[in-house]
Amino acid sequence: MNTVMEQNKEWIDTTWEKIDKKLSRTAVKSRNKIPYTTIDGAHDDRSGKDIAWWTNGFWGGMMWLMYKGTGNEEYRKTAEHSEELLDGAFAHYEDLHHDVGFMWHLVSGANYRITGNEASCNRNLFAASTLFSRYNIDGDYIRAWNAWDGDTHAGYSIIDCLMNLPLLYWASEKIGDDRFKKIAMRHMDMSLRDHIRPDGSVNHIVDHELDKVGVKKILAGQGYSETSCWSRGLAWAVYGSVISYIHAGKEEYLEAAGKTADYFIEHCKKTDYLPVIDFCAPETPVYYDSTAGVCAACGMLEIAKYVPEEDGRRYTQEAINILKACDEHFCNYEENEDALVLLGSERYPHEEADFKGVHIPMIYGDFFFVEALFKLKGNDFLIW
Ligand code: GLY
């Protein structure tokens, strides 16, 4: 164990125990739901008409991590049930989108890799084919979202999509068809060119030419402005880039992960390791996004494994700084609240309607906090 881990062992062990105590209860209590947030402390449920909602894989994925980390069968039962509920999303092809990686790779992909379940493998391959089909050959990007407000938005790519690429890397390996991996790498290369800026900050949405390679416009998306840096978008870049490095081995991906992580750390320090929604927004009012920190911390823990030792210690320590700040200020271990990580934010609020998504629990905050502690406990299963 390296010295940073040794110095933090007591906190890591205590925090993992508190997580297990809380989640072993909610795993049973919320077994028939696919939660996104909580209402008056109780998990909501996206398993009905909202079954295609992009976050619907995080609950099952978190259950698989807890099962791997503890061996408690109750987690496995909940994970398996959430996978059955998720089947409803396959019934409406047109509702599916670029986030099928988040939805299935964490649930069916994890199930197959942990238990060898063939039905899960099949589901994950269908999801991978859906993502594969969204690649625009002429424009050289994987298309985000579907049409809304009378516009196809067919030229949009978003930084978030880096986290869907592991589904393609997995499918490529599984069926021995390297076209899946090539498309993942083409999209990653596009992000190095069009999303990740030279200083390590990122563009959220890029609107591409449809019939040739080229950028028409950069859009603010969920951040403060088109020239600012949405912190969760940056976290997707940190973790997404190092995951692509792990699966594809291209040095530039590790460099991008390091560069985006350094930008994240430098800016997150300014608010005591509690990330704000956008690192370039006005200093007040302060709006936090806990989900950005926990996702970026997971990325930093992976980067630490592939860089020289001293840099590795620095990334591990910075990840722990973020996680400890989250534990102290954002976590709730009480029984009267089903969510673990509070104060997540959907987007920078510019309009009155946006405020309902500011400082709320979101299931992926819980997922990445759990994943980070799972890593710190020494588990080497990479769910991505
Ligand atoms: N991928 C959507 C979001 O991060 O809000």
Side-chain angles (χ1 to χ4, degrees), residues 150-207:
D151 188 329
T152 65
H153 300 288
Y156 282 14
S157 73
I158 56 174
I159 190 69
D160 326 30
C161 197
L162 298 192
M163 297 300 287
N164 288 296
L165 304 183
L167 176 64
L168 297 178
Y169 292 122
W170 169 84
S172 192
E173 182 86 4
K174 176 64 202 156
I175 57 176
D177 183 342
D178 65 3
R179 292 175 308 145
F180 285 83
K181 180 177 178 184
K182 281 183 180 163
I183 284 183
M185 291 180 73
R186 294 290 287 265
H187 186 85
M188 182 68 220
D189 290 339
M190 176 284 294
S191 288
L192 297 186
R193 190 180 67 228
D194 296 339
H195 283 277
I196 301 177
R197 303 176 187 139
D199 67 353
S201 63
V202 297
N203 296 319
H204 181 201
I205 303 177
V206 175
D207 191 11

Side-chain angles (χ1 to χ4, degrees), residues 50-69:
D50 287 330
I51 193 61
W53 179 234
W54 75 278
T55 67
N56 283 354
F58 286 107
W59 170 246
M62 184 166 72
M63 292 295 117
W64 279 118
L65 290 175
M66 292 307 297
Y67 173 67
K68 266 295 254 186

